[in-house]
């Protein structure tokens, strides 16, 4: 018997992986009612993703969970290309924290997923239901009607319902939501029911992944402390450190080697013995897999959207699969809130796919190139590669570019695809991610810039009060968007004297930057004086303009948002999540 729930939820998320959990945190912080349906009654319990970057830690900061997650991460680990005997061909590390966090962060996914899930209890408007799978949905212009039921077959749990919330009826349940987000993985039910195909490649080269846990002591891995691409033409290998007592090896299958042969315990032991003492480890998982490089042709149909692996599948060689899904969540969260709160028209959600598609595709492409780079088995080509890397490292400019990861795509949206002013030249920063330095407050506290900018739109002026240039109409518009006003000064550059106080309104935040990286960013990117950055809630730059052009830029923001005063009448209803889902 199907039961019906009269409650209307703002957003239903299918899937409680890192993408779905991050989106739930970001929406919950904004007070929206969220229901998360997770088909598995228990977590998988094994590592899949092992790495995330500074951009994604910044998203976790916005979600309010970064410090909790970072406590269980291994950070600032150099990445190397090496010979099998450990001799280094080339290195990659980046200690600068352009976006406020370390660039290299190795994680243990079961810990991360558990922590993300547990911390959702901080949001009273978010409800998580395990052991329930989405089985059907239909939509009209206003709502999505969906049905979920107790999971019929589980990959990781027993599926008997014993781990499901006791308040949940095991029978099918039908409810209504304003939006549905499919974050339900590469085998996405949501994507399948929408009839959306994927473009890209399925790569035939299989790899064996072996996840290890040290039995005792801490010296079993002292000789391999870094992340290594082991460039062995006889068997390319990835050696990946993880927090705690965990470590991962990946071995490329060579011609003639079968899945059954590679997963045989004797083969696994022989492969591991080249690098560690197998007796000192427990094999947590051994699995031969192939990988995909695919992107969904559409990311939205009406009130249903895709995110994470449901929208794109990324080879593991740059560690960007999970990270791309986290970026999806940040891009989508503020746009859903803006539409649901009446701050933007529904068309704003079209920019989610247009912005994220190209950046996700760029990450897939660089991952494929890295795969080709590290998995060479032709002796002549591998020799050329090794010489090329050594020459690059020995060249000052190119060596720094390689070591600092200049090959990684920057967080920049493709021209014509993003919410923002068109870029007028190479130095224009519209559609790029704003740096996040540490800034010093009036009281002498050092805080990350995003804590000052807040969760909504912000105007950030370099040594000027961005409010001064605003018309009354612009002030009214920005007030409706809950905009923050911030002035940035160089270190020691705050104005002084008795006459200053009357020019500092109470809602203007003044900070100074000790390292002055953002100050230099302004000066490189802008032209003229009194520069003001219009910063989106996801910290991408809508525009950087002189004060006299600010009203014009805001008029364009209003147009692109589809904003009009009577939209506010359509504010979201924060549902009472204590009701049964």
């Amino acid at each position: 018997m199907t039961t019906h729930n009269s409650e209307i939820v703002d957003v239903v998320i299918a899937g409680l992986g890192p993408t779905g959990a991050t989106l739930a945190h970001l929406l919950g912080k904004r007070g929206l009612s969220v229901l998360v349906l997770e088909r598995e009654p228990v977590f998988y319990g094994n590592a899949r993703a092992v790495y995330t970057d500074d951009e994604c830690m910044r998203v976790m900061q916005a979600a309010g969970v970064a410090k909790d997650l970072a406590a269980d991460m291994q950070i600032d680990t150099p990445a190397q290309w090496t010979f099998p005997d450990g001799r280094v061909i080339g290195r990659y590390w980046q200690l600068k924290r352009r976006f406020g966090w370390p660039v290299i962060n190795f994680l243990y996914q079961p810990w991360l997923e558990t922590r993300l899930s547990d911390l959702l209890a901080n949001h009273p408007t978010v409800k998580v239901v395990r052991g329930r799978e989405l089985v059907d949905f239909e939509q009209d212009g206003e709502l999505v009607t969906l049905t979920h039921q107790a999971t019929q077959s589980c990959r990781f749990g027993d599926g008997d319902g014993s781990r499901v919330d006791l308040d949940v009826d095991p029978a099918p349940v039908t409810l209504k939501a304003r939006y549905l987000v499919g974050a339900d993985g590469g085998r996405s039910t949501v994507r399948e029911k929408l009839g959306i195909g994927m473009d890209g490649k399925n790569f035939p080269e299989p790899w064996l992944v072996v996840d290890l846990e040290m039995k005792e002591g801490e010296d079993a891995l002292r000789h391999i402390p870094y992340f290594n691409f082991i460039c062995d033409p006889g068997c390319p290998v990835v050696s990946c450190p993880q927090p705690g007592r965990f470590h991962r090896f990946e071995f490329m299958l060579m011609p003639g080697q079968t899945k059954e042969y590679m997963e045989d315990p004797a083969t696994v032991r022989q492969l591991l013995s080249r690098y560690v003492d197998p007796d000192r480890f427990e094999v947590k998982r051994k699995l031969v897999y192939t990988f995909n490089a695919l992107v969904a042709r559409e990311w939205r149909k009406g009130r249903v959207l895709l995110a994470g692996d449901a929208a794109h599948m990324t080879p593991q060689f740059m560690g960007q699969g999970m990270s791309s899904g986290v970026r999806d969540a940040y891009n989508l969260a503020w746009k859903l809130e803006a539409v649901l709160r009446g701050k933007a028209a529904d068309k704003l959600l079209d920019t989610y796919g247009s912005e994220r598609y190209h950046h996700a595709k760029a990450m897939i492409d660089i991952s494929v190139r890295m795969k080709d780079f590290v998995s060479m088995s032709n002796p002549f080509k591998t020799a050329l590669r090794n010489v090329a890397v050594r020459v690059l490292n020995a060249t000052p400019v190119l060596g720094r570019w390689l070591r600092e990861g200049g090959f990684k795509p920057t967080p920049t949206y493709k021209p014509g695809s993003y919410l923002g002013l068109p870029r007028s030249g190479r130095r224009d920063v519209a559609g790029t991610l704003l740096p996040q330095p540490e800034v010093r407050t009036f009281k002498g506290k050092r805080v990350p810039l995003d804590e000052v900018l807040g969760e909504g739109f912000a105007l950030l002026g370099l040594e000027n009060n961005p409010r001064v240039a605003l018309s009354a109409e612009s002030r009214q518009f920005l007030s409706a968007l809950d905009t923050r006003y911030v002035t940035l000064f160089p270190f020691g550059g705050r104005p002084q004297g008795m006459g200053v106080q009357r020019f500092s309104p109470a809602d203007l935040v003044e900070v100074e930057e000790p390292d002055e990286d953002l100050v230099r960013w302004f000066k490189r990117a802008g032209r003229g004086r009194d520069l003001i950055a219009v910063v989106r809630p996801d910290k991408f730059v809508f525009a950087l303009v002189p004060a006299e052009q600010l009203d014009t830029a805001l008029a364009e923001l209003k147009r692109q948002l589809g904003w009009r005063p009577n939209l506010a009448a359509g504010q979201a209803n924060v549902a009472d999540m204590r009701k049964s889902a």
Side-chain angles (χ1 to χ4, degrees), residues 117-231:
S117 177
D118 290 346
L119 289 169
L120 284 172
N122 294 335
H123 307 297
T125 61
V126 175
K127 184 177 181 66
V128 176
V129 186
R130 288 189 173 276
R132 302 290 295 186
E133 60 184 344
L134 180 69
V135 293
D136 197 14
F137 62 85
E138 59 183 24
Q139 57 177 317
D140 54 32
E142 299 296 328
L143 296 169
V144 183
T145 302
L146 56 94
T147 300
H148 62 88
Q149 66 181 22
T151 303
Q152 301 302 297
S153 61
C154 302
R155 294 176 67 197
F156 314 131
D158 52 23
D160 64 0
S162 62
R163 308 237 183 186
V164 180
D165 287 358
L166 295 178
D167 293 339
V168 178
D169 189 334
V173 175
T174 296
L175 65 114
K176 296 183 184 295
R178 290 184 168 83
Y179 289 95
L180 167 65
V181 179
D184 49 344
R187 299 181 179 92
S188 172
T189 297
V190 176
R191 187 185 67 238
E192 180 181 345
K193 287 186 175 295
L194 289 174
I196 295 175
M198 304 189 86
D199 294 323
K201 293 182 180 180
N202 304 101
F203 287 87
E205 301 100 323
W207 286 68
L208 169 71
V209 59
V210 182
D211 286 320
L212 302 175
E213 182 176 5
M214 283 186 286
K215 292 179 180 178
E216 58 183 17
E218 296 184 356
D219 60 340
L221 294 167
R222 290 176 64 87
H223 60 296
I224 46 174
Y226 305 134
F227 179 91
N228 288 350
F229 289 115
I230 302 172
C231 300

Side-chain angles (χ1 to χ4, degrees), residues 66-134:
K67 291 182 179 179
D68 293 278
L69 299 181
D72 288 327
M73 289 183 179
Q74 183 173 324
I75 65 171
D76 288 328
T77 301
Q80 304 180 137
W81 296 272
T82 72
F83 291 111
D85 62 5
R87 286 178 296 137
V88 177
I89 302 171
R91 285 192 171 103
Y92 159 50
W93 65 75
Q94 171 60 278
L95 296 179
K96 294 180 180 178
R97 301 188 176 186
R98 176 176 172 80
F99 299 119
W101 291 90
V103 175
I104 299 180
N105 307 276
F106 286 104
L107 56 93
Y108 186 59
Q109 186 168 342
W111 291 355
L112 179 137
E113 287 189 334
T114 300
R115 196 73 179 122
L116 272 176
S117 177
D118 290 346
L119 289 169
L120 284 172
N122 294 335
H123 307 297
T125 61
V126 175
K127 184 177 181 66
V128 176
V129 186
R130 288 189 173 276
R132 302 290 295 186
E133 60 184 344
L134 180 69

